[in-house]
Amino acid sequence: MHNQYTDLLLDLPEVKTEKVLEVGEQTLHVEVSPVAHKQACPQCRSLDFVIRKGSNPARTIRHGEAFGKSIYVRVPAIRLFCKQCQCGFVWQYTFVDSGKRYSHAFEKQAIRTATAATVKHSADLHAMPASTLQTKYQHWLALASERLQERVWQDAACTSKLVLGVDDFAIRKGHTYNTGIHNLRGEALLDILPGRKLEELRAYAKQHSFFLELRPIAVVMDLAPYYHTWIQECFPKAIRIADRFHVHRYVIEALQAVRKTTQTTLSSRAKANLKAKHRLLNPKEESLSVERHKELKEILDYSSLLGQAHAWKESFNEWYDCSPDVNTANRWLETWFVQGEQMQHPAIDACVKTIRNWRTEVVNYHRCRWTNAAVEGRNNRMKAFQRRHYFTRNRKRYVQGLLVECNQSRYG
């Protein structure tokens, strides 16, 4: 291979290839030298009085991979002397730090792999000590998370018509939770709070004044009272929206409760068929294929009550999708309440009662049509991060990792 092609392979503009020293089964050693003859003095920043004064033993730097082989670059440690400053120094290369064995490009590649897997897996993949990569990864993570968090808060503060999303996700389901604050319009995770109790939320607002300086026009959250109380205290002028996904879940659960009641009255064959196909009741009817639609019609024919409950659920989807304004939405929702109460089923009555209690927040969706769909997707990424990193115990690094995981793809 000609030296110019080796230079392209290495992609190190400040050095040029002298020769390929060794090609092994797993390694490729290349000797290089600086393109320039001299380097500026680190004190006076001048080239005029700098002379070469011998060299130290050459350094071997690990630099990426090519053709399935690990590339090692052998660089000369040239000694220089400035006659004006009367100081000696050694040639410094921009692609590697002084005294280090790994180039910046190689470290960046190893760290990128560690963010998608684990440090141990990345270290094994790149044939380097896990402790070394762990140190480099933690240093990079601290810098990257600080940079990203500063950027997302600046964007949130400058965003016109800011819409926030608030939702919890489990560290240990049923026991320990975190709360995420999201910029829905900016598609970013702003911060992670420990816990979800009202006292913990209030403590966060007191400690982070920049949160209270935000001016959201709306905040989307589930039906947890502590979130609504907290947001009402922090942003009294913001529209509080009950997240569509969480509200719709109450309707789905009521429909499935009707299905379970219906099952007990059917023959064994019909009961088994309904139980096997009960998930067909959940999605929108229009989203089903022709074959699935026939199967749905078959199970709905088992009971008139089940058919009415399914039509009631479909009407709720239509209410969300087709209400043109708030006034129409209010009238339509009242009709839907009456339709549910006429079925006289305890599960449906409980669902109607819950949505009546949160009627203002539910109808507010038609004032500002935002949902926490993106937040739920981000929660899944957080849970995947937790499993991948075995639930990092260090709280600070845990939060840093989640901020990078959720924001790096957008902000780089």
Side-chain angles (χ1 to χ4, degrees):
M1 181 184 294
H2 294 291
N3 286 349
Q4 63 265 33
Y5 298 124
T6 308
D7 291 339
L8 291 173
L9 179 67
L10 296 178
D11 192 22
L12 300 174
E14 64 183 299
V15 297
K16 60 183 178 180
T17 302
E18 294 295 336
K19 59 181 175 179
V20 176
L21 297 175
E22 177 187 349
V23 180
E25 291 184 0
Q26 297 180 344
T27 60
L28 176 65
H29 292 257
V30 181
E31 182 178 359
V32 300
S33 62
V35 173
H37 180 67
K38 293 188 297 184
Q39 194 172 64
C41 172
Q43 291 190 16
C44 65
R45 304 294 179 184
S46 174
L47 282 168
D48 298 337
F49 304 97
V50 175
I51 61 172
R52 288 198 178 200
K53 206 170 185 181
S55 62
N56 295 332
R59 298 170 59 189
T60 301
I61 310 299
R62 177 77 182 276
H63 178 69
E65 296 182 356
F67 312 117
K69 302 178 187 297
S70 300
I71 299 178
Y72 290 86
V73 179
R74 188 176 175 86
V75 297
I78 302 170
R79 293 205 309 266
L80 302 164
F81 183 79
C82 180
K83 293 186 288 185
Q84 177 173 315
C85 302
Q86 293 296 306
C87 70
F89 59 98
V90 178
W91 196 290
Q92 298 295 314
Y93 298 93
T94 60
F95 65 88
V96 62
D97 290 332
S98 179
K100 301 300 182 180
R101 297 185 298 160
Y102 303 106
S103 70
H104 297 318
F106 175 76
E107 289 181 359
K108 186 176 181 181
Q109 183 181 8
I111 289 171
R112 188 185 299 115
T113 306
T115 60
T118 63
V119 170
K120 180 65 170 62
H121 176 78
S122 180
D124 292 342
L125 185 65
H126 295 284
M128 63 185 299
S131 58
T132 300
L133 181 56
Q134 180 72 18
T135 301
K136 295 182 181 297
Y137 174 73
Q138 289 175 359
H139 177 70
W140 170 85
L141 187 64
L143 295 176
S145 62
E146 183 179 0
R147 175 181 60 83
L148 288 171
Q149 193 168 32
E150 182 179 355
R151 178 78 180 275
V152 297
W153 279 104
Q154 286 178 351
D155 284 359
C158 298
T159 300
S160 61
K161 297 184 178 180
L162 174 67
V163 180
L164 297 179
V166 177
D167 196 18
D168 59 37
F169 61 97
I171 298 177
R172 184 183 173 202
K173 197 161 187 176
H175 297 271
T176 311
Y177 289 84
N178 283 330
T179 295
I181 303 175
H182 306 256
N183 177 358
L184 297 183
R185 194 177 290 277
E187 300 179 5
L189 171 64
L190 296 179
D191 208 350
I192 297 172
L193 290 65
R196 59 177 182 177
K197 295 181 180 178
L198 186 57
E199 296 78 13
E200 295 167 322
L201 300 174
R202 285 171 172 166
Y204 174 85
K206 288 181 180 179
Q207 296 168 7
H208 299 81
S209 58
F210 49 84
F211 172 70
L212 297 176
E213 292 172 1
L214 297 178
R215 293 293 179 265
I217 62 168
V219 182
V220 185
M221 57 204 129
D222 59 23
L223 301 185
Y226 38 83
Y227 283 145
H228 287 265
T229 301
W230 181 53
I231 293 300
Q232 178 65 27
E233 293 173 355
C234 295
F235 309 115
K237 295 182 180 180
I239 301 171
R240 289 179 287 113
I241 303 173
D243 180 45
R244 175 174 178 172
F245 168 80
H246 290 88
V247 175
H248 192 259
R249 188 175 62 185
Y250 286 97
V251 180
I252 293 295
E253 290 173 354
L255 174 59
Q256 290 295 341
V258 173
R259 186 264 306 173
K260 292 176 182 178
T261 302
T262 301
Q263 271 181 195
T264 60
T265 64
L266 302 178
S267 65
S268 57
R269 182 176 180 180
K271 179 179 179 180
N273 189 40
L274 178 56
K275 186 174 182 180
K277 299 176 180 178
H278 72 277
R279 289 187 178 84
L280 291 174
L281 298 170
N282 297 344
K284 291 182 181 180
E285 187 173 355
E286 63 185 22
S287 68
L288 299 176
S289 64
V290 176
E291 182 180 353
R292 293 296 185 186
H293 191 273
K294 290 180 180 178
E295 294 176 353
L296 173 64
K297 187 176 184 304
E298 179 186 359
I299 62 176
L300 291 179
D301 287 341
Y302 289 149
S303 167
S304 60
L305 178 61
L306 183 60
Q308 292 173 21
H310 184 266
W312 177 72
K313 185 268 295 185
E314 288 292 305
S315 177
F316 194 61
N317 282 328
E318 189 179 359
W319 175 81
Y320 261 116
D321 293 336
C322 301
S323 295
D325 53 57
V326 175
N327 293 331
T328 304
N330 264 311
R331 293 194 298 270
W332 192 343
L333 187 60
E334 186 60 39
T335 303
W336 183 80
F337 286 150
V338 174
Q339 182 184 353
E341 291 166 346
Q342 289 175 347
M343 283 181 272
Q344 298 182 351
H345 190 281
I348 292 181
D349 290 341
C351 174
V352 169
K353 181 179 179 180
T354 299
I355 298 179
R356 274 191 185 278
N357 291 339
W358 292 94
R359 179 170 183 161
T360 301
E361 290 76 13
V362 173
V363 173
N364 277 345
Y365 170 81
H366 297 288
R367 298 181 185 273
C368 186
R369 290 175 176 266
W370 284 90
T371 72
N372 272 347
V375 173
E376 294 298 333
R378 213 168 283 131
N379 286 347
N380 288 335
R381 294 190 66 174
M382 294 181 191
K383 292 172 185 176
F385 174 88
Q386 291 175 165
R387 289 190 292 268
R388 194 166 68 239
H389 291 266
Y390 305 102
F391 294 86
T392 305
R393 294 183 180 182
N394 187 308
R395 171 77 189 182
K396 184 177 180 180
R397 290 188 186 133
Y398 168 74
V399 173
Q400 289 173 347
L402 290 181
L403 289 170
V404 171
E405 178 78 10
C406 295
N407 295 326
Q408 190 177 21
S409 59
R410 178 171 176 81
Y411 291 95

